[in-house]
Amino acid sequence: MNETATLTLDNKAFPLNVIVGTEGEKAVDIRNLRSDSGYVTYDEGFGNTGSCQSAVTFIDGEAGILRYRGYPIEQLAEYSSFIETAFLIINGELPLPAQRKRFSQLLTENAPIHSGMEHLFEGFPAEAHPMAILSAMLNTLGSYYPRLATNDHQRDLEKYEDASAIIISKVRTLAAYSYRASRGLPYIHPRRDLPYCENFLHMMFSTPYEPYIALPEVAQALNLFLLLHADHEQNCSTSTVRMVASSGANLFASAAAGVCALWGPLHGGANTAVIEMLESIHAEGDDGTKFIEQAKLGKADKRLMGFGHRVYKHYDPRAKIIKESFYSALASLGIKNDPLLDIAMRLEAAALKDEYFLARKLYPNVDFYSGLIMRAIGIPVNMFTVMFAIGRMPGWIANWKEVAANRKGRIYRPRQIYVGANLRDYVPPHQRK
Ligand code: ACO
């Protein structure tokens, strides 16, 4: 028998169905609440709101569990690669050998960008942030593929395989070009013979005279970074992608919106904010002790960046994996003495035994380490969030598909509680005080 909740409003009982997810999560279904009762719910920040039913990623924040399509993140990190995991997230199943081969072929064929797009980079000012460029370029990319970006979901879904491969492949080219444009460096074209991560590093760091050959440990660290960021349920950027998709928008436009949402320091910008925080602690001659005390005052501008998470009230499982691989990457890169790393480790050790952080269940999130990894492999700080966007693309694509394929889906349109002025009459300019 279905479970039912009962809500009493104005002495009237409203029975509400309970929906149970495949992992036993329960939700009160309020879809008819306003039409039945006239009431809406209030949940600023959506911390208690299930905005959709999704089959992509499962998180149990209390237990520190993360699974893509049912597979534990620990197993994928150990046995899979970013590209195989991207296929899994985008299509729902691990690829058969022939599917994997076709996906690789599509990625290789689609790595170059149209020369018309190359010229567009010149229009951005030198100080343009690579996230602004990436978002603009992803949206522009859709206009180079009008048949894949029709804003008719049924037609766009017919081309989903091509569109998703184009985005996964070209996002790394666009990202590398945005970096090179910002430095006034010539573009380095992708190579057919290089795997995904090596190809990206080649486009970032090769010169016309000297190819950049990535150390296997560096490519592996990047691979792991991207895999660990590949999806994360209904976070700010993924919800944004779904929100935009719900209006009927195509995959390219929806992904571009995801990039904008990811940019902020409370979300994808946190990995940049961690390094900036460590640099400023170092510049002030602090070993982290003073900063920790300030972070406990609860001021928004002095938060311990890379700590805390809306969903994880436990160690972020991705942070655990990335931390372990971090030390082996550092060893292969020959990095021994890094003052920022020392500060980071001291901050972590202090916070993990401090009552302020323990009581609020503030543990390191993936960004606490990911910025340090990016820095160690030579990615410039203003590209960190772009790296996150490359990694998150499979999740955005899969979530776009769920919205696009839901024929009964409605446009996302939350309600509000209006708290502004009551009705008043227009005042002509000369009578205003
Ligand atoms: N440092 C110090 N105090 C913190 C921190 C922090 N990093 N994070 C939360 N708190 C405190 C708040 O001041 C608040 O204290 P109070 O109860 O005394 O008022 C309490 O912990 C709860 O904080 P909220 O802001 O309500 O938590 P919320 O779930 O809304 O925010 C967030 C989560 C945004 C991640 C927050 O912890 C934060 O700002 N962390 C730093 C930024 C960061 O690392 N973001 C990356 C997120 S992961 C990702 O996007 C991959």
Side-chain angles (χ1 to χ4, degrees), residues 112-124 133 136-138 140-145 170 173-174 177 181 187 189:
I113 56 170
H114 193 285
S115 58
M117 281 195 83
E118 274 190 25
H119 295 304
L120 292 177
F121 284 98
E122 290 157 21
F124 288 95
I133 301 179
M137 285 300 190
L138 273 173
T140 308
L141 188 61
S143 57
Y144 280 81
Y145 295 96
K170 289 198 198 298
T173 315
L174 295 174
Y177 281 26
Y187 305 125
H189 294 129

Side-chain angles (χ1 to χ4, degrees), residues 22-295:
T22 51
E23 289 289 342
E25 283 176 312
K26 291 182 176 178
V28 179
D29 180 353
I30 57 152
R31 279 176 291 180
N32 295 325
L33 182 64
R34 188 172 178 276
S35 57
D36 290 352
S37 71
Y39 281 70
V40 296
T41 55
Y42 178 58
D43 184 20
E44 191 172 292
F46 310 127
N48 305 282
T49 297
S51 62
C52 61
Q53 296 191 33
S54 175
V56 184
T57 288
F58 172 69
I59 299 176
D60 180 339
E62 273 71 29
I65 290 172
L66 169 61
R67 295 181 202 141
Y68 298 156
R69 301 285 189 186
Y71 295 104
I73 191 68
E74 293 79 6
Q75 290 183 21
L76 292 169
E78 186 165 357
Y79 304 117
S80 186
S81 65
F82 171 61
I83 291 304
E84 186 187 63
T85 297
F87 184 98
L88 166 72
I89 290 174
I90 290 170
N91 298 297
E93 296 296 337
L94 286 166
L96 300 170
Q99 293 173 316
R100 176 72 178 81
K101 197 169 160 207
R102 174 160 169 75
F103 191 46
S104 285
Q105 271 167 357
L106 283 174
L107 296 181
T108 305
E109 282 163 20
N110 283 297
I113 56 170
H114 193 285
S115 58
M117 281 195 83
E118 274 190 25
H119 295 304
L120 292 177
F121 284 98
E122 290 157 21
F124 288 95
E127 58 279 6
H129 195 284
M131 283 296 270
I133 301 179
L134 184 65
S135 170
M137 285 300 190
L138 273 173
N139 216 349
T140 308
L141 188 61
S143 57
Y144 280 81
Y145 295 96
R147 282 189 303 282
L148 277 56
T150 64
N151 284 0
D152 171 337
H153 276 166
Q154 293 321 306
R155 284 173 67 196
D156 287 352
L157 281 169
E158 285 164 19
K159 307 279 185 200
Y160 176 70
E161 187 190 23
D162 285 338
S164 53
I166 285 171
I167 292 185
I168 293 284
S169 187
K170 289 198 198 298
V171 67
R172 80 194 137 150
T173 315
L174 295 174
Y177 281 26
S178 71
Y179 163 70
R180 299 200 62 106
S182 72
R183 300 272 165 123
L185 298 169
Y187 305 125
I188 301 290
H189 294 129
R191 276 174 39 184
R192 290 189 75 86
D193 59 323
L194 291 179
Y196 192 87
C197 291
E198 286 83 345
N199 218 347
F200 171 73
L201 292 165
H202 153 71
M203 287 189 276
M204 284 284 289
F205 301 129
S206 285
T207 72
Y209 315 107
E210 200 177 358
Y212 172 92
I213 312 288
L215 283 174
E217 294 83 1
V218 168
Q220 176 49 24
L222 179 57
N223 198 29
L224 188 66
F225 168 91
L226 297 176
L227 185 151
L228 292 175
H229 285 81
D231 192 42
H232 212 237
E233 214 226 51
Q234 300 312 315
N235 54 80
C236 176
S237 56
T238 304
S239 299
T240 301
V241 168
R242 290 186 82 114
M243 169 80 76
V244 175
S246 80
S247 74
N250 65 73
L251 178 56
F252 298 85
S254 306
V259 172
C260 295
L262 189 70
W263 193 355
L266 297 187
H267 189 15
N271 50 23
T272 311
V274 169
I275 296 297
E276 286 168 354
M277 171 188 79
L278 296 173
E279 279 170 349
S280 93
I281 293 174
H282 183 51
E284 285 169 22
D286 179 15
D287 65 354
T289 320
K290 269 197 265 164
F291 190 87
I292 283 270
E293 290 311 311
Q294 283 173 340

